[in-house]
């Protein structure tokens, strides 16, 4: 048995990694520090860790979980429970938090798209749940605006449906038929040919479930409530983007009968389309706690902190002659995080934006930063507070070097 004393001895002899000010995580009453680990897997595996100045990209591992979330994951990791009970209880809690009828935690927003579509097709019909995506009868159809098509509609097509594109409200009315099972709205599409309210209204009138994919659309946190209030039957958000839950978790919520049907199509039920989208006990509780933390934190304070980071980077960049740097707040509704756009006169500062991006990636510490053909762009929302100064200093160094 690993006693507390033994654990402390182990920790004392372990190679020291990271800073002293580690977060205390409780597991079995033993305090572990989040910055004082015995093994460094980044080094062991020959990986590169970096300062994230780009945002919530899945390929960059999304976001970092808050201490409360990691504590919840640790707590659950040595306890058995009934997984269906855990799914139902966390779903009830989240439905309370989001003022809606029902919810279920999924394996990300893409998983929620598949499960929500499956629910709209099958309802509680066990034969259809078993047979999906190869159903008897005509191919089922999902309505989407032509300007809303996106890569994530593959998660909807997984259910064997055909996407029927529409270009206007009257076109949508005309194309709804007996095979139509759902209408999908891409919340962050650049162009809406049919607005949210009208879209919902057409669905209502024709008795077709409406589903809004708003995966990346907090902040503001109000968006978590808004689309249910507007009348969408289903809504999904990613759990592992700005909500900072487990990266492979997501939220599906809305109408109770559809959420029940989504659960029937989901793991742990074996013969279902969702069996490969397992959510484990740690993710259920971690996701629930992440949402609690997200809804209760001081968003104004966080926004001010983001603006401060932008200003730190902006001032460092402006210290180099020939550089322009501005604060940018994207229009949204997705990825509304303050950022700093930095551009320069390439006649005076002889380096391209892609070269600066590469130098920052190759530097120490490594920094992942975005940009366009003539600028670098720092999204400050996913970095740690103290990292803005490092990002600013590194940008300044690279631009100074190129202006010599
Ligand atoms: C990120 C994203 C998804 C996928 O979300 P995951 O949680 O990574 O599965 C789906 N739709 C949109 C619009 C997204 O931005």
């Amino acid at each position: 048995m690993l006693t507390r004393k033994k654990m402390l001895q182990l920790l004392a002899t372990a190679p020291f990694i990271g800073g002293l000010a580690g977060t205390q995580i409780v597991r079995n009453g033993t305090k572990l520090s989040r910055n004082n680990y015995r093994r460094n897997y980044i080094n062991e595996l020959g990986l590169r860790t970096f300062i994230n100045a780009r945002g919530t990209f899945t390929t960059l591992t999304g976001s970092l979980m808050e201490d409360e979330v990691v504590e919840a994951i640790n707590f659950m990791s040595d306890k058995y429970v009934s997984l269906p009970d855990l799914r139902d209880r966390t779903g009830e809690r989240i439905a309370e938090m989001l003022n809606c009828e029902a919810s279920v935690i999924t394996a990300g927003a893409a998983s929620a798209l598949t499960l929500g579509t499956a629910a709209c097709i099958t309802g509680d019909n066990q034969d259809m749940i078993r047979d999906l995506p190869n159903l008897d009868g005509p191919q089922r159809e999902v309505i989407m605006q032509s300007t809303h098509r996106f890569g994530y509609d593959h998660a909807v097509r997984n259910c064997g449906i055909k996407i029927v594109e529409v270009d206007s409200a009257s076109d949508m009315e005309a194309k709804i038929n007996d095979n139509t099972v759902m209408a999908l709205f891409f919340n962050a599409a650049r162009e809406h040919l049919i607005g949210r309210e009208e879209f919902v209204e057409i669905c209502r009138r024709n008795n077709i479930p409406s589903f809004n994919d708003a995966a990346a659309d907090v902040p503001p946190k109000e968006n978590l409530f808004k689309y249910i209030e507007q009348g969408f039957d289903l809504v999904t958000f990613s759990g592992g983007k700005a909500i900072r839950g487990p990266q492979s978790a997501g939220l599906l919520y809305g109408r109770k009968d559809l959420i029940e049907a989504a659960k029937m199509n989901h793991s742990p039920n074996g013969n279902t389309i969702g069996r490969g989208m397992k959510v484990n006990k740690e993710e259920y509780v971690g996701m629930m706690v992440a949402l609690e933390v997200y809804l209760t934190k001081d968003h104004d304070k966080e926004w001010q902190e983001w603006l401060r980071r932008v200003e730190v980077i902006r001032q460092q960049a402006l210290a180099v002659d020939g550089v322009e740097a501005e604060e940018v707040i994207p229009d949204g509704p997705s990825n509304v995080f303050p950022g700093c756009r930095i551009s320069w006169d390439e006649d005076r500062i002889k380096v391209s934006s892609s070269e600066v991006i590469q130098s920052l990636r190759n530097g120490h510490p490594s920094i992942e930063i975005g940009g366009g053909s003539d600028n670098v762009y720092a999204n400050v929302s996913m970095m740690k507070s103290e990292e803005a100064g490092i990002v600013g200093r590194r940008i300044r160094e690279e631009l100074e070097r190129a202006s010599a």
Side-chain angles (χ1 to χ4, degrees):
M1 205 181 94
L2 195 56
T3 61
R4 181 178 157 75
K5 192 172 163 205
K6 188 120 170 259
M7 176 64 92
L8 289 173
Q9 280 167 354
L10 272 172
L11 288 173
T13 56
F16 187 66
I17 302 161
L20 258 176
T23 307
Q24 302 289 297
I25 295 164
V26 177
R27 176 163 173 168
N28 284 341
T30 305
K31 291 204 167 188
L32 296 176
S33 160
R34 259 182 103 176
N35 284 325
N36 190 9
Y37 298 105
R38 278 172 293 150
R39 290 172 62 180
N40 184 327
Y41 303 100
I42 303 283
N43 293 348
E44 268 185 42
L45 298 171
L47 295 169
R48 169 178 64 95
T49 185
F50 47 81
I51 293 174
N52 181 356
R54 281 198 58 200
T56 57
F57 289 89
T58 296
T59 51
L60 303 180
T61 58
S63 57
L64 301 181
M65 294 181 288
E66 302 273 13
D67 297 339
E68 292 91 332
V69 177
V70 178
E71 185 181 319
I73 286 170
N74 272 293
F75 178 88
M76 289 308 291
S77 69
D78 72 343
K79 287 165 189 69
Y80 291 108
V81 293
S82 151
L83 196 61
D85 288 350
L86 176 60
R87 173 199 62 198
D88 292 349
R89 292 298 95 74
T90 53
E92 287 160 16
R93 273 269 199 109
I94 288 169
E96 270 170 41
M97 287 192 255
L98 296 180
N99 288 332
C100 62
E101 286 181 16
S103 86
V104 64
I105 293 168
T106 64
S111 155
L113 288 171
T114 305
L115 296 173
T117 308
C120 292
I121 297 169
T122 66
D124 61 2
N125 184 316
Q126 288 289 359
D127 292 339
M128 289 168 89
I129 289 169
R130 179 198 59 213
D131 291 344
L132 212 62
N134 299 307
L135 298 180
D136 288 340
Q139 193 178 20
R140 276 47 166 196
E141 298 176 3
V142 168
I143 299 268
M144 282 185 83
Q145 302 182 42
S146 54
T147 53
H148 283 204
R149 293 299 304 271
F150 62 164
Y152 295 109
D153 66 44
H154 200 129
V156 174
R157 288 184 277 123
N158 280 350
C159 295
I161 59 88
K162 178 169 88 183
I163 294 201
V164 173
E165 294 186 13
V166 300
D167 289 320
S168 66
S170 57
D171 194 25
M172 179 165 166
E173 293 268 12
K175 283 178 177 161
I176 291 176
N177 65 66
D178 289 346
N179 300 325
T180 310
V181 290
M182 189 182 92
L184 179 67
F185 194 94
F186 171 25
N187 199 53
R190 288 202 190 287
E191 190 184 358
H192 302 304
L193 303 171
I194 310 164
R196 290 179 189 81
E197 261 125 42
E198 194 172 20
F199 191 86
V200 165
E201 160 62 21
I202 296 170
C203 289
R204 278 277 157 87
R205 199 161 352 108
N206 292 280
N207 207 15
I208 303 296
S210 55
F211 189 169
N212 191 352
D213 176 2
D217 301 357
V218 283
K221 73 169 180 184
E222 286 73 25
N223 285 355
L224 284 161
F225 305 91
K226 189 167 158 185
Y227 308 120
I228 289 292
E229 284 163 12
Q230 284 178 345
F232 281 96
D233 294 305
L234 290 172
V235 174
T236 182
F237 277 82
S238 286
K241 292 178 181 166
I243 300 172
R244 297 176 62 178
Q247 234 284 291
S248 54
L251 301 171
L252 176 65
Y253 56 105
R255 232 170 74 187
K256 190 167 172 62
D257 62 316
L258 293 175
I259 296 300
E260 286 307 315
K263 289 197 243 177
M264 293 174 77
N265 278 285
H266 195 196
S267 172
N269 299 317
N271 197 347
T272 62
I273 202 163
R275 181 58 183 81
M277 304 172 191
K278 187 186 284 188
V279 176
N280 66 41
K281 62 184 186 292
E282 292 83 5
E283 290 167 320
Y284 275 116
V285 180
M287 185 66 245
M288 181 190 81
V289 171
L291 185 63
E292 284 174 7
V293 171
Y294 187 74
L295 290 175
T296 53
K297 77 174 158 193
D298 187 339
H299 291 265
D300 291 338
K301 192 172 145 203
E302 183 175 59
W303 189 266
Q304 291 308 317
E305 161 63 13
W306 287 343
L307 294 179
R308 182 196 68 79
R309 295 178 196 173
V310 168
E311 195 52 25
V312 165
I313 295 170
R314 204 174 76 86
Q315 288 303 334
Q316 287 275 6
L318 285 176
V320 186
D321 275 348
V323 170
E324 283 179 39
E326 56 174 346
E327 178 189 293
V328 178
I329 315 272
D331 291 335
S334 65
N335 295 302
V336 183
F337 306 110
C340 185
R341 185 187 293 126
I342 299 154
S343 54
W344 55 92
D345 178 355
E346 281 194 35
D347 289 336
R348 290 167 68 184
I349 305 173
K350 295 190 182 331
V351 66
S352 69
S353 60
S354 57
E355 285 167 336
V356 171
I357 290 167
Q358 195 57 45
S359 300
L360 293 179
R361 182 175 293 134
N362 294 340
H364 299 284
S366 178
I367 298 167
E368 284 290 339
I369 195 164
S373 57
D374 65 350
N375 66 81
V376 295
Y377 186 91
N379 174 337
V380 298
S381 65
M382 290 297 134
M383 61 182 64
K384 296 170 185 169
S385 180
E386 67 278 10
E387 291 172 343
I390 302 171
V391 172
R393 173 173 58 74
R394 287 289 298 119
I395 291 171
R396 177 180 177 165
E397 281 170 7
E398 290 303 322
L399 295 176
E400 268 170 356
R401 192 203 323 265
S403 39

